[in-house]
């Protein structure tokens, strides 16, 4: 294991990452529909995995699916009405700590200092994600494109 891998910590799952990549791509390409193949290619997400992620986004009514010629996936709302939290919660909702995760009866509903701080950190993440739209991400000045590259498609 390299030193860089040793310190790599991931707060969110691959599913969340893939959902954010897919929605960022749909935002960049809006209003044009994109096929699963096109999204997979642009976001570097395996097609089978992406299909499941997109199903979750459709069920959450963040993405629309249209079959047939000229069909594909599109955003169900505009990018300025779609937050990072919406996307995260569609695939793996943030789980706040409401009671002792260890089930200690003596703690009841009162969190110990450790779990209270962990929940406070989750609350800050939740607030940051709730306050950030996909439009915000894509309009932020940067030399790199958020979440996925825009390449020439065939």
């Amino acid at each position: 294991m390299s030193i860089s891998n040793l310190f790599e910590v991931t707060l969110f799952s691959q599913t969340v990452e893939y959902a954010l990549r897919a929605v960022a791509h749909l935002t960049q390409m809006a209003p044009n529909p994109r096929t699963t193949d096109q999204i997979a290619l642009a976001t570097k997400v395996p097609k089978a995995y992406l299909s499941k992620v997109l199903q979750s986004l459709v069920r959450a009514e963040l993405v629309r699916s249209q079959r047939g010629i000229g069909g594909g996936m599109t955003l169900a709302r505009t990018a300025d009405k779609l937050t990072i939290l919406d996307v995260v919660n569609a695939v793996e909702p943030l789980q706040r700590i409401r009671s002792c995760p260890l089930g200690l009866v003596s703690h009841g509903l009162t969190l110990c200092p450790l779990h209270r701080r962990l929940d406070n950190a989750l609350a800050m993440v939740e607030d940051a994600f709730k306050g950030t739209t996909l439009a915000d991400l894509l309009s932020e000045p940067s030399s790199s494109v958020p979440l996925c590259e825009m390449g020439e498609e065939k």
Side-chain angles (χ1 to χ4, degrees):
M1 177 183 289
S2 72
I3 295 295
S4 62
N5 289 342
L6 181 65
F7 292 106
E8 186 175 312
V9 177
T10 306
L11 182 60
F12 297 99
S13 72
Q14 193 169 51
T15 302
V16 169
E17 168 76 17
Y18 287 172
L20 288 167
R21 285 188 209 175
V23 171
H25 179 69
L26 290 173
T27 300
Q28 290 169 323
M29 305 310 285
N32 302 319
R34 310 307 292 166
T35 66
T36 302
D37 287 335
Q38 290 170 320
I39 299 168
L41 179 65
T43 62
K44 298 176 179 33
V45 176
K47 183 181 172 185
Y49 200 148
L50 178 63
S51 292
K52 292 177 184 178
V53 170
L54 289 171
Q55 286 173 11
S56 294
L57 295 171
V58 168
R59 275 193 302 275
E61 299 181 353
L62 302 182
V63 170
R64 285 192 193 106
S65 175
Q66 173 86 28
R67 292 182 183 249
I69 296 173
M73 301 288 177
T74 57
L75 294 178
R77 359 178 154 153
T78 59
D80 63 330
K81 301 288 186 213
L82 182 59
T83 68
I84 294 175
L85 185 63
D86 294 330
V87 177
V88 170
N89 282 340
V91 294
E92 284 183 11
L94 283 178
Q95 298 295 314
R96 297 286 303 276
I97 303 171
R98 303 289 182 212
S99 61
C100 178
L102 302 174
L104 299 175
V105 176
S106 62
H107 288 189
L109 295 178
T110 304
L111 297 179
C112 69
L114 169 66
H115 291 121
R116 186 174 51 253
R117 283 199 171 87
L118 289 174
D119 186 59
N120 289 343
L122 288 169
M124 289 190 312
V125 168
E126 188 176 58
D127 287 344
F129 285 1
K130 188 186 308 177
T132 305
T133 67
L134 269 289
D136 294 334
L137 282 182
L138 296 178
S139 67
E140 189 172 306
S142 175
S143 61
S144 55
V145 178
L147 304 174
C148 55
E149 293 181 25
M150 291 291 292
E152 292 298 316
E153 293 189 42
K154 298 179 176 157

